[in-house]
Structures are given as structure tokens and as C-alpha cells.
Amino acid sequence: MTHALIAIIYLAFVSLGLPDGLLGAAWPAMHADLGAAVSLAGAISVVICLGTIVSSLMTDTLVRRLGTGRLTAASVALTAVALFGFSTCTALWQLVLWAIPYGLGAGAVDAALNAFVATHYAARHMNWLHCCWGIGAAAGPMVMSWQMSGAAGWPGGYRVVGVVQVALVAAIALSLPLWHDRKGGAGEKSGAHGAGRAATTRRELLSRPGVPQAMAGFLCYCALESSCGLWASTFLVLGHGVSAQTAALLASLFYAGITVGRFLSGVLTLRLDGRQLLRLGEVVMALGIVTMLVAPGVVALGAGLALLGLGCAPIYPQMIQLTPKRFGADGAQSLMGMQMACAYVGSMAFPPLMGLVVEGVSPLLLPVVAAVLLVVMTCSLTVCDRRATGPSPETRCSRWCRGQPETQASREAPSSRTGSAPDRDRCRSTSQSDGRSGR
């Protein structure tokens, strides 16, 4: 049953990635058919990002009310409706309206499933989960190209992906009993973890040591990934005189590096812990940036982009996987939504800013900006690891004294296995007191 559920979750992330490349692939034809300016694709992207931010911040509340399985099914259904809506658009304002439910659905799926996997599964699954997203993101433009080469055009591409989403909704609905079997997750309505205790507020979570730095890490990473993904071709064409066709091929090496790297990261989790993988990724990212800065030719530029993608691969999944370990499972779901919101802010805000730099100063500054973001991200995550307190004393006491099963995050955290002597003494005292009072 566990294998069946993780397979459904993998499929959900393939489905999450499928629509992400559709707009970019279809826009050259869409803007002409809709009579819209080429630059207005950015406006649609901003609306989608705003929707993901809103739904990410609401995910904790929705998971407590619906459970992860039902919320995932509802969110994918909302995304499917939006995709079918895109296929019927005849004007730009209609695209903007349908972008709202698409963003709301995508953000809720992302935050809910990341928290669920971080709490219930080993670290390798988080890396492979995001590898599945890369597979979907790469397949989406292929589907759109296939449909645009025939009579269906770009509306057909949206319809095909919409049908895939509907099929996934049916699969998730059939799998709902499996989700209920995975109890004790962060924020789960049916879990015993939060029983009898009020949900941790966002203000309380932000006051925990290391949380602001973790959120800054998410923002910087997604700003770097989205900026390099959008402007890599322009960097090659305008900065190094590479042909547009060659630049498109070389730029794809960045996402290929991310996808392959996430599969390899899942294997490396058998030998390295999450923090070691983060450091390895940061070093490889730095090598990629340096290669882009001093590259003597086209081959070296492609190698730099591939290295940058490989380095990016473990960063995002490991930051997510480490959330329960760093801050405890009691606030993991709410923190996940807050971190996702910061990630989407980075993805939304920095590519346009990088565009101003490319247009107003020089496209050659792309690796310089990437280097600055990498330094800030590395410093933020280092400080986060030094300040993070791990699971709360109440959570550790529950595990020691009441026999609550450990999550993957608790098994990886030394503090949750042993703890300090004062914590153990306090736990024994509480247990003895409970016994005397008859509870």
C-alpha cells in the first residue's frame, strides 16, 4: 500500500510539472491569435504566481480540514478546469481570469505534497519527487509542440494536458483510503500528532530560531533558478554571440542537469545526509557559475549551465526535507506553506528584475547575479542550521514516553532520538505525574 501511495504522489508531481512549460511553448502562436503583445506573457505568469502564493499560505488550514489526499484531488481538479478554460480563450483577459484557478490549484498541491513526503518518507523520495516534476516540465512543451503541428493548435495542447489531470484526479480519489493510513503527518486532520493541541500560529513559527533564514534560502534559490532558466538563452545570444538555435539547446542543459541531478541525489541520500547534499549542491553550483564567467567557448558555456543545473538539483528538495528535522513536525505543514510562498515570491520578482539588468546593463551579468544569490543563500542556510532548534520538547516527550511512532525526520535527527538529560528527566516527571493522576 505504501508503494502504491508514493507512486500516486510521483504521478501527481509529473502532472504538476506538465502545465508549467505550456505557456512558454504556446505563446508565440497564442499572442498572435489573441492579439496580445509578446511581453504580456509576463503578466499571466505574475497572476499564476500570486495564486500560488495565496494557496500556499492557506494550505495548512486546508490540510487540517480536508486532509492531504482530498486537498490534492481538489487542487488537481481545479488545475484541470483552468487548463480546459485556457483552451477556450479568445482574448487576453480570459487567460488572466483562468490563470487565477490554475495558480491556486498548483500552489496547494505543491505545499501539501512536499510536507506530506517530508514527514512520511525517506529523503530519497523527495529528490525523486522533484525529478518527476522535471519530467513533467520537459514533457509539457513536447505535448504542446505535437498538438500545434496538427489542426488542434495550442488549444489542443491545453486540452490534452487537462485530460491527463482529470485522469490523475480519478486515481487520487481511488487512493484516498491509502492517505488515511499514513497517520501522524504534519497538519493532517486525521493524524494523532496535533490532537488536543492548538495549531502553531505563523507568528510563533517565525519567532523560531532559523526560520527567517530558511525562508530567505528558499527565496534566493528560486530567484536564481527562475532567472537562469528564463535568461540563459539571452545570455548566450546577446552576451556571447551564440546562434538562437544553439542557445536554445544549450539552455535546455540547465533543466536537464536539474532533472538528472535530482535522480542522482535520491541515490546519494543513501550515503549523505541532507546538509551534506546541500553543501555538495552549493559547491557544484559555484563551479558552474565560475565556468560560465570564464568560459572560452560554446562547449564550456554548455558545461557551465549543465553544472549549474546539477548543483541546483538537490537544493530545493533537501531544504524541504530538512524542515521537520530543523523545526519539528508540529509546524511543518504551516512552515511548508510559508516557505513555498517565499519561493514563489523569488520566482515571480527576480526574473523581471534580471530582465532590467540584461536590457539596461549587460546580459553578461547573469552569472554575476547568480553568484550573489548563491552567496546569500549559502550564508542564510548556514545560519539556519546553526540556529535551528529541531523538534520541540513536547514532541520529543511524546515520542519517548507515549510510544508515538517516529517519522523519517525524527529518525534522522539525533536530538529527537536521545535528547538532553533535563528533557528526559522532565519527560519522566510528566509521565509519573500522569500515572499518579490516573490519566
Side-chain angles (χ1 to χ4, degrees), residues 2 4 16 76 87-88 169 201 209 218 239 274 286 300 312 315 325 335 384 415:
T2 299
L16 183 65
V76 176
S87 72
T88 65
V169 172
T201 66
F218 271 88
C312 285
I315 303 296
K325 179 179 178 180
L335 267 176
C384 171
S415 62

Side-chain angles (χ1 to χ4, degrees), residues 297-310:
V298 173
V299 174
L301 286 168
L305 285 168
L307 280 172
L308 182 58
L310 281 172

Side-chain angles (χ1 to χ4, degrees), residues 73-413:
S75 298
V76 176
L78 189 62
T79 304
V81 170
L83 291 173
F84 285 118
F86 279 7
S87 72
T88 65
C89 290
T90 57
L92 180 69
W93 65 268
Q94 296 169 346
L95 278 178
V96 173
L97 286 181
W98 285 114
I100 297 172
Y102 171 68
L104 292 173
V109 171
D110 200 3
L113 290 183
N114 275 308
F116 189 85
V117 174
T119 304
H120 291 101
Y121 290 95
R124 63 182 180 275
H125 290 294
M126 183 63 74
N127 288 279
W128 292 337
L129 187 73
H130 287 269
C131 178
C132 288
W133 174 88
I135 292 171
M142 296 180 187
V143 172
M144 182 59 74
S145 176
W146 163 50
Q147 289 295 300
M148 289 177 67
S149 65
W154 59 265
Y158 280 108
R159 283 194 294 269
V160 169
V161 176
V163 169
V164 173
Q165 303 284 70
V166 170
L168 179 62
V169 172
I172 295 173
L174 292 174
S175 72
L176 285 178
L178 302 180
W179 299 82
H180 294 315
D181 288 342
R182 304 294 295 186
K183 294 184 179 180
E188 283 293 335
K189 180 182 177 183
S190 60
H193 172 72
R197 187 168 69 245
T200 308
T201 66
R202 290 198 182 105
R203 179 175 295 182
E204 292 170 343
L205 291 173
L206 285 171
S207 68
R208 292 187 181 182
V211 167
Q213 290 78 17
M215 296 174 70
F218 271 88
L219 189 148
C220 289
Y221 170 76
C222 288
L224 188 155
E225 182 190 297
S226 58
S227 296
C228 290
L230 181 62
W231 295 108
S233 291
T234 305
F235 163 74
L236 295 169
V237 173
L238 299 183
H240 290 275
V242 178
S243 68
Q245 293 81 3
T246 303
L249 177 62
L250 294 179
S252 70
L253 294 177
F254 175 67
Y255 285 109
I258 291 177
T259 303
V260 173
R262 282 177 177 166
F263 175 80
L264 295 176
S265 296
V267 177
L268 288 175
T269 56
L270 300 175
R271 295 196 175 268
L272 303 177
D273 64 27
R275 291 183 176 89
Q276 290 172 328
L277 272 175
L278 279 179
R279 300 297 170 256
L280 177 61
E282 290 161 358
V283 170
V284 177
M285 287 174 71
L287 289 174
I289 291 171
V290 170
T291 303
M292 291 169 65
L293 285 169
V294 302
V298 173
V299 174
L301 286 168
L305 285 168
L307 280 172
L308 182 58
L310 281 172
C312 285
I315 303 296
Y316 193 73
Q318 290 309 310
M319 287 194 296
I320 293 170
Q321 185 71 28
L322 286 169
T323 298
K325 179 179 178 180
R326 283 170 169 162
F327 309 113
D330 57 318
Q333 179 67 73
S334 186
L335 267 176
M336 204 67 70
M338 294 162 62
Q339 290 174 156
M340 294 293 104
C342 284
Y344 291 131
V345 168
S347 298
M348 177 179 67
F350 271 79
L353 293 176
M354 189 65 232
L356 295 177
V357 173
V358 167
E359 187 176 19
V361 186
S362 170
L364 292 173
L365 288 178
L366 177 63
V368 176
V369 174
V372 172
L373 290 170
L374 174 59
V375 169
V376 176
M377 181 192 78
T378 302
C379 292
S380 297
L381 295 179
T382 300
V383 173
C384 171
D385 284 332
R386 290 177 179 174
R387 294 184 179 179
T389 56
S392 64
E394 292 82 358
T395 302
R396 292 194 297 268
C397 183
S398 176
R399 290 172 187 156
W400 295 332
C401 301
R402 296 177 178 83
Q404 179 177 331
E406 289 187 315
T407 62
Q408 171 66 21
S410 70
R411 286 193 295 272
E412 290 182 355

